[in-house]
Amino acid sequence: MKTIMVDITGADATLKVLKTAVTLAEQSDAHLVGLYVEHARLAMTGLYSWGSVYTYPIVDEVEEKHREAAKEIFADTLAYTGLTHEFRDVDMEGISPLDAVIAQSRLSDLFITGAETGWNDDPNGQADSLSQIIEGAGRPVLIIPEHMPEKVNLKLAVIAWDGSKEASRAAFDAIPVLKSYESVEIVSVNVDPADQEVRRVSIARLTDSLGRHGIEASFRVIPGDGSDRNALLKLSESADLMVMGAYHHNRVRELIFGGVTRGFLKTVPCPILFSR
């Protein structure tokens, strides 16, 4: 993992997100890109509309204030890290802010953004925005919760495993990040008793595969007892990172961003790495 990109457009939530990005970049000696998309904040709040920079000069002043604030936070945070870094100021150039973010995210090994970065004030809209980034990026996306503690902990990473291609993609995409954590646990929740042995074999083989990358992982299978989301939420209480595919309910086969995944995007309980 040699290029990490972090969304610093939403200056209100930038610092917590940026600290996580710096910590992971230091672990892998990665180049860190601070992404700022011009007019994105204004477009999402409704202050900006196409052509308004010509009609309302004050919009340019507000935009300049936001950009300089993000640039200053980025420079101050990286000043004494020794990491190579760049502040990337991207103009929307006639496309939507999210499309600009998605296009840039594809140029990194890992894209990091916050759950509350001003893309949308409504939880449902925020979940939609995040799901669009995950679906469009084609890269692993790490989402940092609003309540992230000041100190970035790299103790326990939990991989949510159901044997699906989405879960497989997430687990293997996460390998460079997982190497930074002290312990890794692979967990399957709400497994039907008839499927438990098959799932145990699957997880054991995944454990072996991760071991060949230098990652020692433990695993457990949790029998069916309630909803997948509730079981995973309980696990997230002790996790410093969760790794999930675009998770779906095995028996219902919901839309790719339905159910469990959408619930986690609306209320992010801990740092979550999604892959699609």
Side-chain angles (χ1 to χ4, degrees), residues 7 27 45 70 94 115 122 137 142 148 169 196 199 208 226 239 245:
D7 169 27
Q27 293 289 314
T45 59
D122 174 66
L142 178 58
M148 182 77 175
R169 175 69 180 268
Q196 286 184 27
R199 188 66 59 83
D208 291 341

Short mmCIF file of all heavy atoms in Angstrom, two decimals, residues 7 27 45 70 94 115 122 137 142 148 169 196 199 208 226 239 245:
data_model
loop_
_atom_site.label_atom_id
_atom_site.label_comp_id
_atom_site.label_asym_id
_atom_site.label_seq_id
_atom_site.Cartn_x
_atom_site.Cartn_y
_atom_site.Cartn_z
N ASP A 7 -10.01 12.16 2.10
CA ASP A 7 -10.93 13.25 1.78
C ASP A 7 -10.82 14.32 2.87
O ASP A 7 -11.17 14.08 4.02
CB ASP A 7 -12.35 12.69 1.71
CG ASP A 7 -13.41 13.77 1.65
OD1 ASP A 7 -13.10 14.87 1.16
OD2 ASP A 7 -14.55 13.50 2.08
N GLN A 27 2.53 3.45 8.95
CA GLN A 27 2.72 2.01 9.09
C GLN A 27 3.27 1.37 7.82
O GLN A 27 4.01 0.39 7.88
CB GLN A 27 1.39 1.33 9.47
CG GLN A 27 0.87 1.68 10.85
CD GLN A 27 1.69 1.06 11.96
OE1 GLN A 27 2.03 -0.12 11.91
NE2 GLN A 27 2.03 1.85 12.96
N THR A 45 -24.52 21.89 0.18
CA THR A 45 -25.37 22.68 1.08
C THR A 45 -26.39 23.50 0.32
O THR A 45 -27.29 24.09 0.91
CB THR A 45 -24.51 23.65 1.92
OG1 THR A 45 -23.78 24.52 1.05
CG2 THR A 45 -23.54 22.89 2.81
N ALA A 70 -8.78 23.73 4.88
CA ALA A 70 -8.42 22.33 4.67
C ALA A 70 -6.93 22.20 4.37
O ALA A 70 -6.26 21.29 4.88
CB ALA A 70 -9.24 21.75 3.51
N GLY A 94 -17.53 20.59 -14.29
CA GLY A 94 -18.80 20.25 -14.91
C GLY A 94 -19.40 18.93 -14.46
O GLY A 94 -20.44 18.52 -14.99
N ALA A 115 -17.54 9.64 8.05
CA ALA A 115 -18.97 9.39 7.98
C ALA A 115 -19.75 10.69 8.00
O ALA A 115 -20.87 10.78 7.52
CB ALA A 115 -19.41 8.52 9.16
N ASP A 122 -28.56 14.88 5.78
CA ASP A 122 -29.56 13.87 6.10
C ASP A 122 -28.90 12.49 6.18
O ASP A 122 -28.13 12.12 5.29
CB ASP A 122 -30.64 13.86 5.02
CG ASP A 122 -31.64 12.75 5.22
OD1 ASP A 122 -32.37 12.78 6.22
OD2 ASP A 122 -31.65 11.82 4.38
N ALA A 137 -15.81 3.54 -6.57
CA ALA A 137 -14.36 3.69 -6.44
C ALA A 137 -13.58 2.53 -7.04
O ALA A 137 -12.54 2.72 -7.66
CB ALA A 137 -14.00 3.84 -4.95
N LEU A 142 -12.24 3.28 3.40
CA LEU A 142 -12.26 3.26 4.86
C LEU A 142 -13.06 4.45 5.35
O LEU A 142 -12.73 5.60 5.04
CB LEU A 142 -10.84 3.31 5.41
CG LEU A 142 -10.68 3.36 6.94
CD1 LEU A 142 -11.32 2.14 7.59
CD2 LEU A 142 -9.20 3.46 7.31
N MET A 148 -14.94 9.15 16.50
CA MET A 148 -13.61 8.54 16.55
C MET A 148 -12.78 9.17 17.67
O MET A 148 -12.69 10.39 17.79
CB MET A 148 -12.90 8.76 15.21
CG MET A 148 -11.54 8.13 15.11
SD MET A 148 -11.67 6.36 14.82
CE MET A 148 -9.93 5.96 14.61
N ARG A 169 -13.63 -10.19 -1.46
CA ARG A 169 -12.96 -9.00 -2.01
C ARG A 169 -12.51 -8.08 -0.89
O ARG A 169 -11.37 -7.57 -0.90
CB ARG A 169 -13.93 -8.26 -2.95
CG ARG A 169 -13.41 -6.94 -3.52
CD ARG A 169 -12.28 -7.15 -4.50
NE ARG A 169 -11.81 -5.89 -5.03
CZ ARG A 169 -12.27 -5.32 -6.15
NH1 ARG A 169 -13.21 -5.93 -6.85
NH2 ARG A 169 -11.78 -4.18 -6.58
N GLN A 196 -22.83 -24.69 9.62
CA GLN A 196 -21.72 -24.27 10.46
C GLN A 196 -20.40 -24.96 10.12
O GLN A 196 -19.35 -24.32 10.09
CB GLN A 196 -22.06 -24.49 11.93
CG GLN A 196 -23.06 -23.47 12.47
CD GLN A 196 -23.33 -23.64 13.96
OE1 GLN A 196 -22.48 -24.13 14.68
NE2 GLN A 196 -24.51 -23.26 14.40
N ARG A 199 -18.97 -23.52 6.96
CA ARG A 199 -18.45 -22.17 7.21
C ARG A 199 -17.13 -22.20 7.97
O ARG A 199 -16.22 -21.43 7.70
CB ARG A 199 -19.49 -21.34 7.97
CG ARG A 199 -19.14 -19.86 8.11
CD ARG A 199 -19.13 -19.13 6.76
NE ARG A 199 -20.40 -19.22 6.08
CZ ARG A 199 -21.44 -18.41 6.32
NH1 ARG A 199 -21.33 -17.46 7.22
NH2 ARG A 199 -22.57 -18.54 5.65
N ASP A 208 -5.67 -19.47 6.76
CA ASP A 208 -4.40 -19.95 6.18
C ASP A 208 -3.90 -18.99 5.09
O ASP A 208 -2.70 -18.69 5.02
CB ASP A 208 -4.58 -21.35 5.58
CG ASP A 208 -4.82 -22.41 6.65
OD1 ASP A 208 -4.49 -22.15 7.82
OD2 ASP A 208 -5.34 -23.50 6.29
N GLY A 226 -30.95 -13.82 16.06
CA GLY A 226 -31.25 -12.41 15.82
C GLY A 226 -30.76 -11.95 14.46
O GLY A 226 -30.44 -12.75 13.59
N ALA A 239 -14.17 -3.57 18.51
CA ALA A 239 -13.27 -3.55 17.35
C ALA A 239 -12.72 -2.14 17.08
O ALA A 239 -13.42 -1.15 17.26
CB ALA A 239 -14.01 -4.06 16.12
N GLY A 245 -17.65 -6.61 3.20
CA GLY A 245 -18.01 -6.43 1.81
C GLY A 245 -19.32 -5.67 1.76
O GLY A 245 -19.83 -5.22 2.78
#
